[in-house]
Amino acid sequence: MSKTPQNATTRISTFVLLIIFLTLALSLTALILATTFFGQDNKIIAGYLLLIGFIGVALSTYVLFQIRKRVLRLRIELPPIVTTIECRKCGFKIVREFQRGDYIFKKGELCQKCNENMLITAIYREVKEKEKTAP
Amino acid sequence: MAIVSALQNQLIQLQLFEEYSWIFNLLFYVIFVVFIFYGQRIQMYVMLREVEGSLYKLKYIKDEGRKIAIETIKEIGKPQTDPTGRVDRFLEYFTIAPQSLDPAGVVWKLEHILDVRDVRFKDEVKLMAPAADETQAYNLENTLEAAMALNYIYKIIRHFYLLGKKTLSLYIIMQIQMILPLIMREAEAYASALKAFAYGQPIGDGAGALVAAKLMYGYETRKMPKDCVVATVPIEGRTAFVIKAEGPGGNVGKIGDAVKAIIDENEGKIAAIIMIDAAMKLEGEEVGEVAEGVGAAIGGPGVDQFKIEESILKYRIPINAVIVREDIGDAVSPMRKEIFDSADKAIDRIKQVILERTKEGDKVIIAGVGNSIGIGQ
């Protein structure tokens, strides 16, 4: 589920993308033209082209970012789950990724140090908390 | 001379602007009038758009849930035929709550309905996944229930969205838009629960079961009604009957029945009952915070709480509660480290309660409430 979703819900329409990139291209052309008109001392047209160019670039990039955000919003991030296996005799500890079939208090593999049966003592996920703003 | 001509140019430009300023004025008035008459409608469309965005996300989550459930059944259950149709039918199951116009005896009616539902679910899982063992069947049942919850949430939001669009009623759209962030949180929690159930990972709700498992580990256990286990553990010179739902399959058991059975076995000679459960935390409270109080700490539809309260009332047994605070997201998703670590703090608190509220040689019941998925004994 942590992969980028690729179903119908998240697919971005090619038509929308085409319009966005067309607007972006036209806006960039307007900006280039504006510099040419500035060179020719035609400041009114240059000013209008500059305005149109900036608005076009801003709008198309905004829409692009919004689309990207929508796809990212659909991702469900799952932090890795770790399993701690402990030897009750010598205290030797192994921390590894969770595997299907693991459960707390399951007798696991043999201890590398004392050859005793090890025990799964913990299964959990670690979450990094965002900073809290409340007093 | 150059400065003068530049100034003249600027003046001409300003005059040009003044010439067309009426256009800007007109535009301003048009916008003003449009907002006066159509402001609410525009606001409504903005809200509808917001609900639509969330609906897309819910659809994605629901579809993923269904996919995970089907894949897990195929992987574990090794069915002869494709289980997709059966899963789709399962996702549409509903339960009708008993009539409560005459509330006397409604708890037993509710218990019966829940039992029928439970049996039906288990039978369905058996048919879907014939090769699954008991633990896997419990986990599959939980996975399907999470997928079912997601399907239901999606359908409710879609209903209000379409109803709002059809009637263009601001109040229908507004009420769903206002509670949407909370619903989305719940849906996301169920989405992460799906994987946890499918893989058999312990979840936050199992905090109580984990405490009981830690207390009973190394002692002999026996089965209790229904789907519970009990171990007799000496703690601080007292005899503790530690109860939990049987693990490591996804199961909450009928703790109420188990507590009642232990009380009856001991003819009511129980000095105290201590219940441990995960409880809802308020925003601002720490995850895994341990708190203490009195009363039957048990969630669910209320049948088990009712039974425990009836039993303790009969023999006037004092009941204490130790809770581990967490939110809905933490409760149904894989157990957080903070919650896992809080189990030891909860055990210390239980010992403290035993020392303060009972005498040496007394008998106490310690009930670890919660889903035992991924937690053995």
Side-chain angles (χ1 to χ4, degrees), chain A residues 1 5 7 9 44 48 73-74 76 78 81 98 100 103-105 119 121-127 129 132, chain B residues 13 56-57 60 64 75 192 198-199 201-202 210 213 217 248 286 330 333-337 340 374 376:
Chain A
M1 258 198 182
N7 65 6
T9 318
I44 296 176
Y48 278 121
R73 224 160 57 93
L74 288 175
I76 301 155
L78 286 179
I81 318 288
F98 176 88
R100 187 174 254 171
Y103 64 85
I104 298 171
F105 295 129
L119 192 74
T121 52
I123 297 170
Y124 55 77
R125 70 183 164 116
E126 269 186 277
V127 182
E129 280 274 20
K132 283 174 189 144
Chain B
Q13 281 174 25
Y56 271 120
K57 185 167 185 176
Y60 165 69
E64 278 294 298
E75 200 183 327
S192 44
Y199 284 95
Q201 294 161 343
L210 177 68
Y217 182 72
E286 293 289 326
D330 299 324
S333 52
M335 192 179 278
R336 282 176 65 160
K337 191 175 186 301
F340 183 84

Side-chain angles (χ1 to χ4, degrees), chain A residues 1, chain B residues 58 61-69 87 90-91 117 121 138-154 186-198 203 332-333 371 373:
Chain A
M1 258 198 182
Chain B
L58 279 174
I61 294 174
K62 174 203 78 133
D63 290 341
E64 278 294 298
R66 178 178 168 274
K67 208 172 87 187
I68 289 172
V87 169
F90 187 92
L91 295 181
R117 179 183 183 265
F121 277 16
Y138 276 130
N139 295 351
L140 276 179
E141 195 187 326
N142 281 203
T143 311
L144 282 163
E145 278 191 65
M148 207 164 136
L150 285 171
N151 189 46
Y152 185 67
I153 293 172
Y154 167 71
E186 204 164 317
E188 279 163 24
Y190 277 116
S192 44
L194 269 162
K195 279 260 160 158
F197 289 138
I203 57 168
V332 294
S333 52
N371 197 319
I373 190 162

Side-chain angles (χ1 to χ4, degrees), chain B residues 154-314:
Chain B
Y154 167 71
K155 282 184 147 195
I156 291 287
I157 302 297
R158 187 184 61 179
H159 166 76
F160 279 105
Y161 167 73
L162 291 174
L163 198 67
K165 226 173 161 181
K166 209 182 267 181
T167 57
L168 282 181
S169 159
L170 180 71
Y171 301 100
I172 292 175
I173 301 159
M174 218 155 96
Q175 61 173 332
I176 200 73
Q177 189 258 354
M178 284 194 296
I179 57 162
L180 207 56
L182 300 175
I183 293 172
M184 290 311 289
R185 272 182 74 176
E186 204 164 317
E188 279 163 24
Y190 277 116
S192 44
L194 269 162
K195 279 260 160 158
F197 289 138
Y199 284 95
Q201 294 161 343
I203 57 168
D205 181 54
L210 177 68
V211 170
K214 282 195 164 194
L215 284 171
M216 66 168 62
Y217 182 72
Y219 294 93
E220 204 183 318
T221 59
R222 62 187 162 103
K223 292 200 178 198
M224 293 296 290
K226 187 193 167 226
D227 299 332
C228 289
V229 285
V230 65
T232 310
V233 181
I235 299 176
E236 309 288 349
R238 285 80 168 164
T239 306
F241 299 101
V242 185
I243 305 167
K244 81 180 265 287
E246 195 176 4
N251 166 37
V252 288
K254 279 193 175 182
I255 297 283
D257 283 349
V259 169
K260 189 179 179 295
I262 297 287
I263 293 172
D264 291 341
E265 267 177 25
N266 291 278
E267 291 155 347
K269 285 176 190 121
I270 298 289
I273 297 175
I274 304 163
M275 298 190 76
I276 314 103
D277 195 9
M280 274 307 131
K281 82 171 185 73
L282 299 172
E283 284 302 320
E285 286 178 333
E286 293 289 326
V287 177
E289 211 177 85
V290 177
E292 194 193 314
V294 291
I298 187 163
V303 176
D304 284 287
Q305 188 177 355
F306 179 84
K307 281 182 186 171
I308 293 167
E309 285 166 354
E310 283 278 294
S311 308
I312 59 167
L313 187 69
K314 191 176 168 190

Side-chain angles (χ1 to χ4, degrees), chain A:
Chain A
M1 258 198 182
S2 55
K3 283 185 283 178
T4 308
Q6 285 296 329
N7 65 6
T9 318
T10 56
R11 207 176 295 135
I12 303 161
S13 150
T14 24
F15 180 68
V16 174
L17 276 180
L18 198 78
I19 289 177
I20 294 167
F21 283 113
L22 202 71
T23 317
L24 196 67
L26 285 173
S27 312
L28 289 172
T29 318
L31 287 175
I32 295 161
L33 276 175
T35 53
T36 321
F37 277 105
F38 259 119
Q40 290 169 2
D41 213 26
N42 206 339
K43 283 176 184 161
I44 296 176
I45 297 175
Y48 278 121
L49 283 172
L50 207 66
L51 190 72
I52 291 166
F54 273 125
I55 291 174
V57 170
L59 268 177
S60 43
T61 43
Y62 173 75
V63 175
L64 256 182
F65 274 108
Q66 282 300 309
I67 288 173
R68 194 174 166 268
K69 215 171 127 185
R70 204 190 84 191
V71 177
L72 284 177
R73 224 160 57 93
L74 288 175
R75 280 167 65 164
I76 301 155
E77 291 287 347
L78 286 179
I81 318 288
V82 293
T83 300
T84 308
I85 312 166
E86 242 179 285
C87 176
R88 289 262 156 151
K89 199 177 168 195
C90 68
F92 179 68
K93 209 185 258 186
I94 301 171
V95 179
R96 61 154 167 83
E97 212 175 296
F98 176 88
Q99 284 166 8
R100 187 174 254 171
D102 284 356
Y103 64 85
I104 298 171
F105 295 129
K106 180 188 180 187
K107 280 192 178 113
E109 55 235 64
L110 290 175
C111 177
Q112 293 167 15
K113 280 188 176 172
C114 60
N115 226 23
E116 272 286 312
N117 257 330
M118 290 172 86
L119 192 74
I120 295 180
T121 52
I123 297 170
Y124 55 77
R125 70 183 164 116
E126 269 186 277
V127 182
K128 277 175 197 151
E129 280 274 20
K130 284 175 194 160
E131 260 182 58
K132 283 174 189 144
T133 48

